[in-house]
């Protein structure tokens, strides 16, 4: 290896370029800019205002934030569902005057005051919800009218009760506790907003109701098409908004004990600024309680600090307007360009130095031939993309289809076929269990079982998450091939944790080692990762010793052996490290050897590009994917080898007339059955000198 290659190799080992893209995929990245703005605000005003971080100053600011934050969360919930609520300021003022009138003039008990006030806020929200959700009126104009009407009601109540409120002093420690008390060392209003923020976060991220709100905000038409009650969801968000805004009014009333004509005026603008500044989208479908909290703290600090600095109210409003304009601009531009930025940095090739490709001519065990040319074709044009092929005890053929079906061809002539099961995903590797059920890896879904009576059962769709992984690698993205140990444990490969089923070629461009092998234990119902950092792991086949299995790494052009039991437990040993092509599925042969399919052949240009990660990165950024440099996948090849890596025979379809891309093969009663993920047929080849009574079921489970 040259000095240049050595330096390139260590540069891509030492610098994890892929982490930048993975960080940008996380939803919490949306909070990065708001957090930076908050820190900048703290730094600026902390240096300008004496005793800014003093205990009294922080406590007073926290009480005000507790009330303001509730209003921002109220507005955020409506925004997430794709709406807007300009009436939150008037609802807040209504809650304030109603609470004061009931506690001071009517002398109601505190629980009754809180309940009635909240019901008034809910009533305002219900009116908004009915008009916007059910009658489909414009949210902006509707809530603007509601703002005016509720403000008029507040003014009328002020004329009637303001003098009585000012003269009264409620005799209730509980009432004053709401505005002045501490709970667990924090102001009561802060405890309230933190509790509500946590509840809202859990609802939006963990509950069906929250998913419905996000779905409605993302696309109301799509949400309606999948059965979500869109009108009811929209109406409920306005009701929740009214409740939270009136609750903030209760806390405000308890803290100050007075009502004025200016209470709540302009509050909707400050709340809207805070919601957008925190990263909640005006377009709906994107938002969280955390974003609302960050934005509300930032705006609260700005407003409070400007007052302490003696800035006039006009300049105060002007600054908030400028901040709102900037926040909207950032929101629109980031939402529009995020995927563009992500597309440029997510694909992150690394240095991959493959051993020299062995020759395919002369005395080489890989010498080209036409042994696959006489393959008999089954189901030509009646099947689309049979990635794997397997046969049952009655010689029936099972293959996966691109449409999500597992199709069964009936023996002996395979003219008749039926849909054995519809999986809803992309069926890939398959294996029969001891009880006769069919286990299948489904791309994007995980590991499933089709019982003998055709019921489809999920076995697992997740595994243990890595401690240092940025992306959520607990979810199975591309479960690929599997095999079953004698004790029932299922070992299956997940080709990549970074890309979905339709993007698997991009993993070849990276060749980073994004794959793993996972074990599902039906005895305990547990799933765990047993091998990580594999270069597109693919085929898996149990060896005859019952303690290890063979696995292929497609982009690594190698086959290795992993011991999961016995004295070598946990170790990996190479079997073939320099294949002339890219290995896919591996299966047993009747004489104790193994078959492996080569999904494509290596080329000097691709091998050279693997040593040039910078070139591959520029290629991914600058040209369309259909113009990328790819391996040759037009030549079909099947290899038979033993556990020591010795090549027994090689079967080629030179020119790719019958099977241009072979991803699997299965020996059964003296014949080799061949599948390919881009083919529209199943191949059947008569094998010379192989056991014509041998089947996979007898080899694994002793059945005949």
């Amino acid at each position: 290896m040259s000095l240049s290659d050595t330096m390139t190799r260590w540069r891509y080992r030492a610098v994890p370029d892929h982490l930048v893209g993975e960080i940008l995929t996380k939803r919490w990245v949306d909070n990065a800019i708001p957090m930076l703005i908050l820190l900048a605000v703290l730094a600026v005003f902390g240096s300008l205002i004496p005793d800014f971080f003093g205990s009294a100053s922080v406590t007073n600011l926290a009480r005000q934030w507790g009330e303001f934050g509730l209003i921002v969360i109220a507005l955020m919930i409506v925004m997430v569902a794709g709406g807007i609520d300009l009436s939150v300021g008037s609802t807040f003022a209504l809650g304030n005057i109603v609470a004061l009138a009931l506690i001071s003039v009517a002398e109601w008990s505190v629980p009754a005051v809180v309940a009635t006030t909240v019901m008034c806020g809910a009533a305002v929200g219900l009116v908004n919800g009915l008009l916007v959700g059910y009658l489909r009126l414009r949210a902006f104009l509707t809530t603007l009218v509601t703002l005016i009407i509720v403000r008029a009601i507040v003014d009328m109540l002020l004329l009637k009760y303001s003098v009585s409120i000012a003269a009264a002093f409620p005799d209730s420690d509980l009432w004053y506790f709401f505005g002045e008390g501490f709970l667990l060392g924090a102001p009561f209003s802060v405890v309230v907003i933190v509790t509500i923020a946590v509840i809202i976060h859990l609802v939006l991220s963990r509950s069906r109701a929250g998913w419905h709100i996000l779905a409605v905000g993302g696309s109301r038409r799509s949400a309606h098409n999948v059965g979500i009650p869109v009108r009811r969801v929209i109406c409920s968000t306005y009701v929740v908004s009214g409740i939270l805004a009136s609750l903030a009014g209760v806390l405000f009333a308890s803290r100050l004990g007075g009502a004025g004509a200016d209470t709540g005026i302009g509050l909707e603008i400050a709340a809207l600024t805070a919601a957008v500044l925190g990263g909640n989208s005006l377009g709906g479908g994107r938002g969280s309680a955390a974003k609302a909290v960050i934005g509300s703290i930032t705006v609260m600090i700005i407003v409070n600090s400007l007052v302490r600095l003696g800035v006039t109210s006009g300049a105060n409003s002007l600054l908030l307007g400028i901040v709102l304009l900037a926040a909207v601009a950032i929101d629109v531009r980031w939402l529009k360009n995020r995927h563009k930025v992500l597309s440029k940095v997510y694909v992150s090739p690394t240095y991959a130095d493959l051993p020299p490709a062995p020759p395919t001519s002369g005395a080489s065990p890989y010498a080209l031939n036409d042994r696959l040319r006489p393959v008999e074709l089954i189901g030509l044009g009646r099947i689309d993309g049979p990635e794997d092929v397997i046969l049952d005890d009655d010689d029936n053929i099972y293959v996966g289809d691109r449409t999500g079906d597992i199709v069964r061809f009936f023996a002996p002539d395979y003219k008749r076929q039926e849909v054995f099961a519809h999986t809803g995903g992309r069926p890939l590797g398959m294996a029969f269990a001891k009880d006769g059920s069919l286990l299948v890896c489904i791309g994007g879904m995980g590991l499933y079982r089709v019982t003998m009576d055709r019921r489809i059962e999920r076995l697992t769709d997740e595994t243990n998450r890595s401690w240092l992984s940025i992306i959520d690698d607990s979810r199975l993205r591309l479960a690929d091939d599997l095999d079953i140990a004698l004790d029932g444990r299922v070992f299956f490969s997940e080709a990549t944790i970074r890309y979905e089923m339709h993007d698997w070629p991009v993993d070849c461009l990276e060749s980073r080692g994004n794959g793993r092998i996972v074990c599902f234990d039906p005895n305990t119902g547990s799933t765990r990762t047993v091998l990580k950092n594999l270069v597109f792991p693919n085929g898996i086949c149990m060896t005859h010793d019952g303690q290890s299995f063979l696995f292929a790494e497609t982009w690594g052009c190698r086959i290795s052996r992993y011991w999961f039991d016995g004295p070598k437990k946990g170790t990996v040993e190479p079997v073939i490290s320099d294949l002339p092509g890219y290995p896919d599925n591996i299966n047993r042969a009747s004489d104790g050897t193994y078959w492996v399919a080569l999904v494509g052949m290596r080329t000097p240009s691709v091998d050279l590009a693997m040593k040039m990660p910078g070139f591959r990165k520029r290629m991914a950024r600058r040209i369309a994917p259909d113009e990328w440099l790819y391996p040759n996948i037009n030549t079909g090849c099947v290899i038979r080898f033993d556990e020591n890596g010795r090549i027994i025979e090689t079967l080629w379809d030179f020119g790719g007339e019958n099977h241009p891309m072979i991803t699997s093969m299965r020996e059964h009663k003296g014949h080799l059955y061949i599948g390919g993920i881009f083919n529209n047929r199943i191949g059947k080849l008569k094998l010379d000198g192989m056991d014509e009574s041998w089947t996979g079921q007898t080899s694994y489970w002793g059945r005949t």
Side-chain angles (χ1 to χ4, degrees), residues 589 591 593-595 638-641 646-649 690:
D591 63 352
T593 58
Y594 304 89
W595 299 100
V638 175
I639 294 172
R640 186 160 63 91
F641 65 98
R646 183 170 62 94
I647 306 303
I648 308 300
E649 61 178 329
M690 306 302 279

Side-chain angles (χ1 to χ4, degrees), residues 354 357 557 579-582 600-610 629-635:
L354 298 176
C557 300
L579 285 166
Y582 302 92
M601 304 311 299
R602 293 169 59 179
T603 62
S605 58
V606 175
D607 283 1
L608 178 61
M610 290 298 104
L629 193 65
Y630 279 122
N632 172 21
I633 59 174
N634 295 317
T635 302

Side-chain angles (χ1 to χ4, degrees), residues 190-209:
V190 173
V191 175
V192 171
I193 186 177
V194 169
T195 303
I196 290 178
V198 171
I199 294 173
I200 296 297
H201 168 74
L202 294 176
V203 169
L204 290 179
S205 61
R206 298 290 188 274
S207 73
R208 179 176 299 179

Side-chain angles (χ1 to χ4, degrees), residues 27 73 76-77 80 195-215 233 236-237 240 244 287-289:
R27 293 179 61 183
I73 291 178
M76 177 273 298
I77 294 174
V80 168
T195 303
I196 290 178
V198 171
I199 294 173
I200 296 297
H201 168 74
L202 294 176
V203 169
L204 290 179
S205 61
R206 298 290 188 274
S207 73
R208 179 176 299 179
W211 300 333
H212 286 181
I213 293 173
L214 292 169
V233 170
S236 64
T237 60
V240 173
L244 294 181
S288 68

Side-chain angles (χ1 to χ4, degrees), residues 496-526:
T496 174
I497 62 172
R498 280 171 57 85
Y499 298 99
E500 304 293 344
M501 176 71 194
H502 57 280
D503 288 329
W504 65 264
V506 186
D507 195 86
C508 173
L509 191 70
E510 283 199 353
S511 294
R512 175 169 292 279
N514 300 322
R516 57 187 174 182
I517 292 177
V518 182
C519 173
F520 169 72
D521 189 346
N523 302 309
T524 61
S526 62

